[in-house]
Amino acid sequence: MFHWAQIDNRRGDCSDDAVEQCLLAIKKQDLNALEELYYRTGASVFGFALSTLKNAQDAEDVMHDLYVAVWSGAGKYCAEGRPMAWILTITRNLCLQKYREYQKRSDIPQEDWESYIESNPNMSPEDRLILAECMGRLSDQERQIVVLHAAAGFRHREIAKLLDLPLSTVLSKYNRALKKLRNFMEESKEDERG
C-alpha cells in the first residue's frame, strides 16, 4: 500500500510554475523531472483519485497509470492554462476507465481517509480537521468538490470544468457541504455545553 510518509515534505509545492517546469523537462525525457513531478503532485492526484474511486488500491493504480501517461504523453502537453488541470483531467479519465473496468462502487475505508488527511503536507491543520469531519457527512460528489477545492486548491470554475458539471452545481454542492459541516459543528458545541 502507498504511504503518504513517502512524500517528501520539502517538495510539496504544486504551483503552476513548478509543475510546468517539470512537464517541460519531462518532454525532454528527463526522468528526474518525473520524480519531481510525483513529489509535487502526488498528494493532490491521490486525493482526487481516492475521492472518485472510493478505494485506496484503485487510487494507487490510477496514480501509477497517470505518471506513465504523463511520461509517454508529455510531448503532447501544451503550455497553456494550468498544468494541474491537465494532470487531473488525465486522472479523471483514468478513474472513469477504472469504473468501466470494474463497474463497482465501494465506500472509502475510514483509515484510508485518515491516513491521507494526516500525512498530506499540502494541507493546513484547519483543512485536515475540516476534511476529516466532512468525509463521513458528505455525498460522494460533495466530498470530491471539497477535496479538489480545499486540498488541491482548485477554483470552483476549474472544478466544474474538471468534473464536467455546471458551475452553479459545483457552487451549490460546495455551499451545501459547508452548511452540513457548520451544522455538525454547532451540534457538537451544543453537546459540549449541555
Side-chain angles (χ1 to χ4, degrees):
M1 176 175 253
F2 180 80
H3 296 286
W4 285 104
Q6 296 170 349
I7 298 289
D8 184 340
N9 289 342
R10 294 168 292 148
R11 296 203 247 176
D13 173 18
C14 60
S15 67
D16 289 339
D17 290 338
V19 174
E20 188 87 45
Q21 291 305 310
C22 290
L23 290 172
L24 294 175
I26 291 169
K27 270 185 164 180
K28 299 175 185 173
Q29 301 294 298
D30 182 348
L31 196 54
N32 291 329
L34 182 64
E35 178 183 3
E36 186 74 18
L37 182 71
Y38 168 79
Y39 283 118
R40 291 183 184 281
T41 63
S44 294
V45 168
F46 182 77
F48 178 66
L50 183 61
S51 70
T52 302
L53 297 170
K54 323 287 182 283
N55 180 292
Q57 290 175 335
D58 287 344
E60 291 170 18
D61 290 344
V62 164
M63 273 187 76
H64 172 268
D65 293 347
L66 167 78
Y67 292 107
V68 170
V70 166
W71 178 258
S72 62
K76 297 175 188 170
Y77 174 72
C78 297
E80 35 183 81
R82 293 176 50 125
M84 278 302 294
W86 183 73
I87 288 170
L88 289 182
T89 298
I90 295 170
T91 305
R92 183 191 72 190
N93 292 338
L94 290 169
C95 289
L96 292 173
Q97 182 179 354
K98 195 60 103 168
Y99 270 140
R100 282 187 224 104
E101 286 173 13
Y102 296 113
Q103 296 181 346
K104 69 175 184 179
R105 291 185 65 105
S106 61
D107 291 331
I108 301 173
Q110 185 67 27
E111 62 272 7
D112 287 348
W113 273 113
E114 289 172 358
S115 174
Y116 168 68
I117 291 169
E118 289 172 11
S119 60
N120 184 338
N122 297 322
M123 293 172 58
S124 71
E126 182 179 77
D127 288 341
R128 286 185 183 115
L129 176 64
I130 290 170
L131 283 176
E133 292 299 325
C134 283
M135 292 306 115
R137 290 169 175 73
L138 302 178
S139 71
D140 291 344
Q141 206 165 55
E142 289 169 338
R143 185 181 307 124
Q144 194 172 34
I145 290 168
V146 169
V147 168
L148 284 171
H149 185 70
F154 278 80
R155 295 183 187 116
H156 296 293
R157 189 173 308 280
E158 295 166 327
I159 294 168
K161 186 176 179 182
L162 187 65
L163 298 179
D164 197 26
L165 293 170
L167 177 60
S168 59
T169 301
V170 170
L171 290 169
S172 68
K173 287 185 180 285
Y174 182 75
N175 288 326
R176 188 178 311 127
L178 293 181
K179 185 176 180 181
K180 284 181 182 179
L181 180 59
R182 270 189 231 108
N183 289 342
F184 172 76
M185 294 173 95
E186 287 173 10
E187 289 171 8
S188 296
K189 286 180 184 178
E190 287 177 18
D191 289 345
E192 287 176 11
R193 289 183 209 143

